[in-house]
Amino acid sequence: MRIHIATDHAGLEFSTQLQHHLAAAGHEVVDHGPIEYDPLDDYPAFCIRAAQAVVRDQAAGIEALGVVFGGSGNGEQIAANKVVGVRAALAWSIATAELAREHNDANVIAIGARQHTFEEAATFIDRFIATPFSGEERHARRIAQLAAYEEDGTLEADPRAVTAQPDVLAANDSSFDPEAG
């Protein structure tokens, strides 16, 4: 499988270890940066490029996933999710990594490189890669709703929205008699 990765300065050492780990597992790794340590670099462009590559590969029928990481993984997840077609999930445990794929068909995983040991994070990533989407109707339906919103802003009807009823206590309603109760 092709794995697109990206980080910022906070995850550069982690990136090097991860590339070796994934290549040893037989994956083709594509690094989207950075290429050198710069404490002032910014993650958005790196993570967005990795996310774009995942979407392009998947559209071309290439089996691909993405891994983005930084200090917390939060910003990296947000950046990846700006790309149409990406479902990036922040994973902090084996269960969240697995459920991201199984229930949400996430195609990018975000990890906080400063939040976990390399061994923990590698375990989350390995589980993410190994877990298939369940394909269950309820999960597919929800993913389709996300895609529809992403495409044209379509949302399911709000069940709390009802047809407006006339206000029986309106001040201009001459039929209201306060004495009648």
Side-chain angles (χ1 to χ4, degrees):
M1 177 176 301
R2 185 175 293 164
I3 309 293
H4 295 277
I5 66 169
T7 187
D8 64 1
H9 60 277
L12 192 56
E13 183 179 329
F14 180 95
S15 178
T16 302
Q17 289 179 283
L18 182 61
Q19 289 179 57
H20 292 295
H21 173 80
L22 293 171
H27 300 292
E28 175 189 353
V29 181
V30 181
D31 181 12
H32 294 272
I35 57 173
E36 61 185 19
Y37 182 80
D38 176 357
L40 299 178
D41 68 9
D42 299 315
Y43 60 83
F46 301 128
C47 295
I48 289 170
R49 285 186 188 107
Q52 288 171 325
V54 169
V55 171
R56 266 193 315 272
D57 279 354
Q58 290 180 334
I62 299 168
E63 215 179 3
L65 293 172
V67 181
V68 296
F69 43 94
S72 70
N74 287 313
E76 294 76 18
Q77 175 199 25
I78 292 167
N81 274 321
K82 296 300 179 185
V83 175
V84 173
V86 167
R87 288 175 306 284
L90 179 66
W92 64 91
S93 67
I94 290 174
T96 57
E98 186 174 283
L99 290 170
R101 290 284 302 136
E102 187 178 335
H103 289 187
N104 307 112
D105 198 17
N107 51 8
V108 175
I109 186 174
I111 303 281
R114 291 181 176 160
Q115 311 305 310
H116 307 282
T117 65
F118 175 77
E119 291 74 23
E120 289 171 330
T123 301
F124 306 161
I125 293 164
D126 290 344
R127 182 65 62 92
F128 178 80
I129 293 169
T131 302
F133 174 53
S134 72
E136 288 181 34
E137 188 277 329
R138 65 188 171 120
H139 301 306
R141 181 180 69 242
R142 294 166 185 161
I143 292 165
Q145 289 172 17
L146 293 170
Y149 180 77
E150 193 173 59
E151 176 77 22
D152 62 16
T154 300
L155 286 176
E156 294 283 314
D158 185 343
R160 296 166 300 185
V162 295
T163 305
Q165 300 296 318
D167 185 354
V168 295
L169 301 177
N172 64 353
D173 185 349
S174 60
S175 66
F176 176 68
D177 180 359
E179 300 292 320

